Amino acid sequence: MDWLFALFGCEKSARVRQSPRLILTVEEVEDRSVPSAVAQPDFTFLGGQAHPHTGSAAATGLTPAQIRAAYGIGSVTFGSVAGDGAGQTIAIIDAYDQPTIASDLAAFDAKYGLPAPASFTKLNQNGGTALPAAAPKGGWGLEISLDVEWAHVVAPKASIVLIEARSASLSDLDAAVMTARSYPGVSVVSMSYGSAETASSYAEDAHFTTPSGHTGVTFVASSGDAGAYSGSSSTTKVVSYPASSPNVVGVGGTTLTLSSGAYGSETGWGNGTSSFSQGGGGGGVSKYAAQPAYQRGVVTQSTTNRTSPDVALDADPRTGVPVYDAYDDGASTPWLQLGGTSLAAPMFAGVVAIADQGRVAKGLGTLDGATQTLPAIYSLSGADFHDVLTGNNGYAAGTGYDLITGRGSPIVNKFAVDLAGGSGTPTSPPTSPPTSPPASPPAPTIGALTANPNPVAAGAPVALTASGVAQTGGTVMSVRFYRESNGAAGLQLGSDVLVGTGTQTGTIWTLSGVSTAGLAPGTYTFYAVATGANGATSTVASATLTVTAPAAPVATTTTLSAGPVTYATSGYAVTTLTARVSAARGVPSGGTVTLYYNGSAVAIGTVVNGVANFTVRMGYSDYYWLFYTFKVSYSGTSGFAASSSTNVTVAV
């Protein structure tokens, strides 16, 4: 996440004027040898708002009534029945807990005259009711409020189940997705987060499919808020996963303009080559995912690879929406105006819920995202979309499909009805001779599961290895590892802890760095399950691990230093902060370093060979010296104690 600050400084010259609002953004410099393990939420504050940000007692932004009118949401009917998501369940995936979301949603509804959802449920990533730790202020809590309130705006009579992951790690969020897709009645899953795609990202594609025996599920994800770029510069173009998955509807962003309270026009949300720092809807061409059949003949920007987004909705924070969040901003000033593709994604999830409502009324099943929703998006008439012709996120918008808005924004009163199968009474299709369905490959198999080292001292990492993993006539897409935690023998999905997804080398799948921190000495059972491309799962493999008493941690010392400051033409001063962690014995690797700015945590980096780097972009003024003060704290891994640095001040 990029954090935004407003700072004021000391006078640089005798000229006097009011200091401008200045922007500082911080991000971890990733070790490109391994995939990023942490997802970022995709919301954006209005106007470069400071972090820690300040809420307001008054709501600002486009209201629910204005959004519903602009996109034709309130005009959807199926016969005499209003399209409002009744009978459907929207699952929303986020990290950490937002403790006041139920009361915040009630306050939001009271403000705008919306009905309460049919039901609202909060669960942890495994489907239990023991919720994760509360989100750090100003982060995922705001994301949760935005997602829940604005999915509800679009489909006000749908049920909502909020699945809260233990952390923002991709493995925890993925566990939440697996719980959501299997939850009874869920027809659409909304994911307002992502990370830069890697070659290994697409091993997770099978998780964005409807489970066997479940009604159809559509998966929706935000395309990102840094335009076509990585978020660190305009030199690297990258797409965000899971929005770029061929099984997921990627939702981009627009700038929505009203005319006399109704739809006026839209442009693609972006700031050209400055979108990486000034904001823009994500989009581009995947380096790794092949073009799905549904994009052929429609997408011209590539004929070989998957492109995103597929559709778009309002996301520009300048045309953003009010969000009520008393947890992050207090009961007296709970309102914020937010935007980002984190707004667009849950709104589109609401659109899918409305379409599914219509399908159920016709006696049809809810939509499967990969085989029905996505192909329909590309086959429906252009009259179902606002074709957005202007805007630039690093790629220019244009006639037809483009890499900033996809096919455009849906005209929901047309799009949802057509997605549901049209407005007429369904007729029986012509009969044809029965045919036998193609044979599906058998379930995958796992030869053995082992843990190494075994035994292990509590706190030390272990590697779980599933060997002999194969699927005759098919492809194994993933192997997931669990730890028994409920005391009952055998794997219990929803209560046993998902510890992660393995990395493949031939028929061997390995999950390294599995933490044993917090485990008391004793014997623990681990499980592995393989999933094939057809959704079939293997018989559960198991192994036991003996955990012994931990050794005393080695003391560490953490220092922070700043590199040279360079001044960019884009109005930023840039430096690299380097955190170094040393120990009396060994070199720490795998722990985390938290970067603090003026006492607030702003970024988390992973320690690799004793080092974690952060790129810092700082606003500067021609008239004032500005001083930015940082420090870091190291959270030790097994065998290494925590430590913190002294303050480092950077003057620009």
Side-chain angles (χ1 to χ4, degrees), residues 463-486:
L464 299 175
T465 301
S467 56
V469 181
Q471 184 180 27
T472 302
T475 302
V476 177
M477 298 301 294
S478 67
V479 175
R480 295 159 65 84
F481 297 88
Y482 300 82
R483 187 184 78 243
E484 186 176 292
S485 59
N486 64 358

Side-chain angles (χ1 to χ4, degrees), residues 388-488:
V388 182
L389 304 178
T390 60
N392 193 303
N393 66 348
Y395 296 105
T399 302
Y401 180 91
D402 58 59
L403 297 174
I404 181 170
T405 65
R407 289 209 67 192
S409 66
I411 303 172
V412 177
N413 52 310
K414 297 180 179 180
F415 175 84
V417 170
D418 289 343
L419 194 59
S423 57
T425 302
T427 58
S428 300
T431 60
S432 57
T435 58
S436 299
S440 180
T445 56
I446 298 177
L449 174 64
T450 58
N452 186 54
N454 191 4
V456 65
V462 297
L464 299 175
T465 301
S467 56
V469 181
Q471 184 180 27
T472 302
T475 302
V476 177
M477 298 301 294
S478 67
V479 175
R480 295 159 65 84
F481 297 88
Y482 300 82
R483 187 184 78 243
E484 186 176 292
S485 59
N486 64 358

Side-chain angles (χ1 to χ4, degrees), residues 181-182 186-187 205-219 247 366-372 534-536:
R181 73 176 196 156
S182 300
V186 163
S187 56
D205 283 349
H207 300 158
F208 306 118
T209 57
T210 302
S212 176
H214 196 283
T215 53
V217 181
T218 297
F219 297 82
N247 295 340
T366 54
L367 292 158
D368 176 79
T371 64
Q372 293 177 299
N534 62 343

